[in-house]
mmCIF file of all heavy atoms in Angstrom:
data_model
loop_
_atom_site.group_PDB
_atom_site.id
_atom_site.type_symbol
_atom_site.label_atom_id
_atom_site.label_comp_id
_atom_site.label_asym_id
_atom_site.label_seq_id
_atom_site.Cartn_x
_atom_site.Cartn_y
_atom_site.Cartn_z
ATOM 1 N N ASN A 31 -22.784 -3.101 136.959
ATOM 2 C CA ASN A 31 -21.648 -4.013 136.866
ATOM 3 C C ASN A 31 -21.876 -5.007 135.724
ATOM 4 O O ASN A 31 -22.942 -5.057 135.119
ATOM 5 C CB ASN A 31 -21.389 -4.728 138.197
ATOM 6 C CG ASN A 31 -22.527 -5.636 138.617
ATOM 7 O OD1 ASN A 31 -23.233 -6.197 137.780
ATOM 8 N ND2 ASN A 31 -22.707 -5.806 139.916
ATOM 9 N N ARG A 32 -20.878 -5.790 135.437
ATOM 10 C CA ARG A 32 -20.916 -6.723 134.313
ATOM 11 C C ARG A 32 -22.082 -7.706 134.416
ATOM 12 O O ARG A 32 -22.777 -7.971 133.442
ATOM 13 C CB ARG A 32 -19.588 -7.471 134.239
ATOM 14 C CG ARG A 32 -19.506 -8.448 133.110
ATOM 15 C CD ARG A 32 -18.170 -9.183 133.135
ATOM 16 N NE ARG A 32 -18.193 -10.250 132.199
ATOM 17 C CZ ARG A 32 -17.439 -10.308 131.111
ATOM 18 N NH1 ARG A 32 -16.597 -9.329 130.859
ATOM 19 N NH2 ARG A 32 -17.515 -11.335 130.307
ATOM 20 N N LYS A 38 -29.422 -7.909 131.852
ATOM 21 C CA LYS A 38 -30.263 -7.014 131.054
ATOM 22 C C LYS A 38 -30.286 -7.461 129.593
ATOM 23 O O LYS A 38 -31.340 -7.462 128.947
ATOM 24 C CB LYS A 38 -29.742 -5.572 131.170
ATOM 25 C CG LYS A 38 -30.600 -4.566 130.489
ATOM 26 C CD LYS A 38 -31.902 -4.395 131.225
ATOM 27 C CE LYS A 38 -32.680 -3.244 130.634
ATOM 28 N NZ LYS A 38 -34.074 -3.263 131.033
ATOM 29 N N ILE A 39 -29.133 -7.855 129.075
ATOM 30 C CA ILE A 39 -29.063 -8.339 127.697
ATOM 31 C C ILE A 39 -29.912 -9.593 127.526
ATOM 32 O O ILE A 39 -30.670 -9.720 126.562
ATOM 33 C CB ILE A 39 -27.590 -8.601 127.293
ATOM 34 C CG1 ILE A 39 -26.841 -7.266 127.171
ATOM 35 C CG2 ILE A 39 -27.508 -9.394 125.989
ATOM 36 C CD1 ILE A 39 -25.344 -7.402 127.021
ATOM 37 N N ASN A 42 -33.600 -8.682 127.602
ATOM 38 C CA ASN A 42 -34.008 -8.068 126.332
ATOM 39 C C ASN A 42 -34.177 -9.118 125.244
ATOM 40 O O ASN A 42 -35.134 -9.083 124.467
ATOM 41 C CB ASN A 42 -33.003 -7.004 125.885
ATOM 42 C CG ASN A 42 -33.088 -5.746 126.712
ATOM 43 O OD1 ASN A 42 -34.074 -5.504 127.404
ATOM 44 N ND2 ASN A 42 -32.048 -4.945 126.652
ATOM 45 N N GLU A 46 -37.533 -10.057 123.073
ATOM 46 C CA GLU A 46 -37.546 -10.029 121.611
ATOM 47 C C GLU A 46 -37.911 -11.396 121.047
ATOM 48 O O GLU A 46 -38.610 -11.491 120.040
ATOM 49 C CB GLU A 46 -36.190 -9.556 121.087
ATOM 50 C CG GLU A 46 -35.934 -8.090 121.396
ATOM 51 C CD GLU A 46 -34.510 -7.656 121.102
ATOM 52 O OE1 GLU A 46 -33.707 -8.468 120.602
ATOM 53 O OE2 GLU A 46 -34.203 -6.485 121.384
ATOM 54 N N LYS A 48 -39.883 -13.570 122.445
ATOM 55 C CA LYS A 48 -41.338 -13.718 122.605
ATOM 56 C C LYS A 48 -42.077 -12.982 121.492
ATOM 57 O O LYS A 48 -43.083 -13.469 120.987
ATOM 58 C CB LYS A 48 -41.784 -13.197 123.975
ATOM 59 C CG LYS A 48 -41.453 -14.132 125.106
ATOM 60 C CD LYS A 48 -41.994 -13.620 126.424
ATOM 61 C CE LYS A 48 -41.688 -14.594 127.551
ATOM 62 N NZ LYS A 48 -42.274 -14.167 128.816
ATOM 63 N N ILE A 51 -41.928 -15.066 118.364
ATOM 64 C CA ILE A 51 -42.869 -16.183 118.436
ATOM 65 C C ILE A 51 -44.294 -15.693 118.195
ATOM 66 O O ILE A 51 -45.078 -16.345 117.497
ATOM 67 C CB ILE A 51 -42.739 -16.911 119.789
ATOM 68 C CG1 ILE A 51 -41.352 -17.538 119.918
ATOM 69 C CG2 ILE A 51 -43.825 -17.973 119.949
ATOM 70 C CD1 ILE A 51 -41.010 -18.025 121.323
ATOM 71 N N ASN A 60 -53.326 -15.867 110.597
ATOM 72 C CA ASN A 60 -53.750 -15.094 109.426
ATOM 73 C C ASN A 60 -53.863 -15.954 108.170
ATOM 74 O O ASN A 60 -54.567 -15.595 107.230
ATOM 75 C CB ASN A 60 -52.774 -13.945 109.164
ATOM 76 C CG ASN A 60 -52.850 -12.858 110.207
ATOM 77 O OD1 ASN A 60 -53.649 -12.914 111.140
ATOM 78 N ND2 ASN A 60 -52.000 -11.863 110.076
ATOM 79 N N GLU A 67 -48.633 -27.105 114.954
ATOM 80 C CA GLU A 67 -48.378 -28.130 113.946
ATOM 81 C C GLU A 67 -47.139 -27.773 113.114
ATOM 82 O O GLU A 67 -46.281 -28.625 112.865
ATOM 83 C CB GLU A 67 -49.597 -28.276 113.034
ATOM 84 C CG GLU A 67 -49.478 -29.356 111.993
ATOM 85 C CD GLU A 67 -50.721 -29.449 111.139
ATOM 86 O OE1 GLU A 67 -51.836 -29.429 111.685
ATOM 87 O OE2 GLU A 67 -50.562 -29.532 109.906
ATOM 88 N N LEU A 68 -47.047 -26.515 112.678
ATOM 89 C CA LEU A 68 -45.878 -26.094 111.906
ATOM 90 C C LEU A 68 -44.613 -26.164 112.745
ATOM 91 O O LEU A 68 -43.554 -26.586 112.258
ATOM 92 C CB LEU A 68 -46.056 -24.674 111.371
ATOM 93 C CG LEU A 68 -47.039 -24.483 110.229
ATOM 94 C CD1 LEU A 68 -46.981 -23.050 109.715
ATOM 95 C CD2 LEU A 68 -46.798 -25.454 109.110
ATOM 96 N N PRO A 74 -39.478 -31.633 115.532
ATOM 97 C CA PRO A 74 -40.278 -32.789 115.963
ATOM 98 C C PRO A 74 -39.893 -33.355 117.329
ATOM 99 O O PRO A 74 -40.693 -34.044 117.950
ATOM 100 C CB PRO A 74 -40.034 -33.824 114.859
ATOM 101 C CG PRO A 74 -38.798 -33.389 114.168
ATOM 102 C CD PRO A 74 -38.700 -31.909 114.342
ATOM 103 N N ASN A 75 -38.714 -33.058 117.810
ATOM 104 C CA ASN A 75 -38.279 -33.593 119.106
ATOM 105 C C ASN A 75 -38.698 -32.730 120.286
ATOM 106 O O ASN A 75 -38.438 -33.084 121.434
ATOM 107 C CB ASN A 75 -36.759 -33.787 119.114
ATOM 108 C CG ASN A 75 -36.310 -34.816 118.103
ATOM 109 O OD1 ASN A 75 -37.034 -35.760 117.812
ATOM 110 N ND2 ASN A 75 -35.137 -34.627 117.545
ATOM 111 N N SER A 78 -43.485 -29.803 123.471
ATOM 112 C CA SER A 78 -44.312 -28.655 123.815
ATOM 113 C C SER A 78 -43.428 -27.427 123.991
ATOM 114 O O SER A 78 -42.306 -27.523 124.477
ATOM 115 C CB SER A 78 -45.073 -28.942 125.107
ATOM 116 O OG SER A 78 -45.851 -27.831 125.463
ATOM 117 N N ASN A 79 -43.953 -26.285 123.582
ATOM 118 C CA ASN A 79 -43.215 -25.042 123.726
ATOM 119 C C ASN A 79 -44.103 -24.054 124.485
ATOM 120 O O ASN A 79 -45.043 -23.507 123.909
ATOM 121 C CB ASN A 79 -42.823 -24.489 122.360
ATOM 122 C CG ASN A 79 -42.001 -23.236 122.461
ATOM 123 O OD1 ASN A 79 -42.220 -22.391 123.310
ATOM 124 N ND2 ASN A 79 -41.046 -23.103 121.562
ATOM 125 N N ILE A 86 -49.795 -18.014 121.238
ATOM 126 C CA ILE A 86 -51.064 -18.364 120.597
ATOM 127 C C ILE A 86 -52.231 -17.721 121.341
ATOM 128 O O ILE A 86 -53.185 -17.242 120.722
ATOM 129 C CB ILE A 86 -51.214 -19.899 120.494
ATOM 130 C CG1 ILE A 86 -50.183 -20.451 119.490
ATOM 131 C CG2 ILE A 86 -52.633 -20.296 120.099
ATOM 132 C CD1 ILE A 86 -50.051 -21.956 119.505
ATOM 133 N N GLU A 87 -52.146 -17.701 122.660
ATOM 134 C CA GLU A 87 -53.201 -17.075 123.463
ATOM 135 C C GLU A 87 -53.292 -15.575 123.196
ATOM 136 O O GLU A 87 -54.351 -14.966 123.385
ATOM 137 C CB GLU A 87 -52.956 -17.328 124.941
ATOM 138 C CG GLU A 87 -53.154 -18.775 125.350
ATOM 139 C CD GLU A 87 -52.796 -19.037 126.800
ATOM 140 O OE1 GLU A 87 -52.570 -18.079 127.557
ATOM 141 O OE2 GLU A 87 -52.737 -20.217 127.177
ATOM 142 N N THR A 89 -52.712 -14.129 120.200
ATOM 143 C CA THR A 89 -53.098 -13.809 118.825
ATOM 144 C C THR A 89 -54.541 -13.332 118.780
ATOM 145 O O THR A 89 -55.326 -13.583 119.695
ATOM 146 C CB THR A 89 -52.931 -15.023 117.883
ATOM 147 O OG1 THR A 89 -53.779 -16.083 118.335
ATOM 148 C CG2 THR A 89 -51.485 -15.468 117.804
ATOM 149 N N GLU A 94 -59.208 -9.276 112.640
ATOM 150 C CA GLU A 94 -58.817 -8.149 113.488
ATOM 151 C C GLU A 94 -57.321 -7.848 113.409
ATOM 152 O O GLU A 94 -56.870 -6.812 113.891
ATOM 153 C CB GLU A 94 -59.175 -8.447 114.945
ATOM 154 C CG GLU A 94 -60.656 -8.627 115.200
ATOM 155 C CD GLU A 94 -60.940 -9.052 116.631
ATOM 156 O OE1 GLU A 94 -60.110 -8.802 117.519
ATOM 157 O OE2 GLU A 94 -62.005 -9.643 116.857
ATOM 158 N N VAL A 106 -37.421 -12.278 110.559
ATOM 159 C CA VAL A 106 -37.409 -12.377 112.021
ATOM 160 C C VAL A 106 -36.958 -13.771 112.457
ATOM 161 O O VAL A 106 -36.148 -13.909 113.371
ATOM 162 C CB VAL A 106 -38.803 -12.031 112.602
ATOM 163 C CG1 VAL A 106 -38.901 -12.370 114.070
ATOM 164 C CG2 VAL A 106 -39.125 -10.559 112.381
ATOM 165 N N LEU A 109 -33.264 -14.007 111.948
ATOM 166 C CA LEU A 109 -32.546 -13.212 112.940
ATOM 167 C C LEU A 109 -32.312 -14.002 114.226
ATOM 168 O O LEU A 109 -31.278 -13.864 114.871
ATOM 169 C CB LEU A 109 -33.341 -11.936 113.244
ATOM 170 C CG LEU A 109 -32.722 -10.930 114.184
ATOM 171 C CD1 LEU A 109 -31.480 -10.303 113.556
ATOM 172 C CD2 LEU A 109 -33.730 -9.837 114.512
ATOM 173 N N ILE A 123 -45.576 -21.128 102.342
ATOM 174 C CA ILE A 123 -45.741 -19.986 101.443
ATOM 175 C C ILE A 123 -45.827 -20.478 100.005
ATOM 176 O O ILE A 123 -46.681 -20.019 99.227
ATOM 177 C CB ILE A 123 -44.585 -18.967 101.622
ATOM 178 C CG1 ILE A 123 -44.687 -18.306 103.000
ATOM 179 C CG2 ILE A 123 -44.589 -17.929 100.521
ATOM 180 C CD1 ILE A 123 -43.445 -17.488 103.393
#
Side-chain angles (χ1 to χ4, degrees):
N31 64 31
R32 181 182 171 114
K38 185 70 172 164
I39 290 170
N42 287 342
E46 291 170 3
K48 284 184 178 184
I51 296 168
N60 290 358
E67 183 180 314
L68 287 186
N75 296 329
S78 179
N79 183 322
I86 292 169
E87 291 175 10
T89 61
E94 297 175 23
V106 169
L109 184 67
I123 292 169

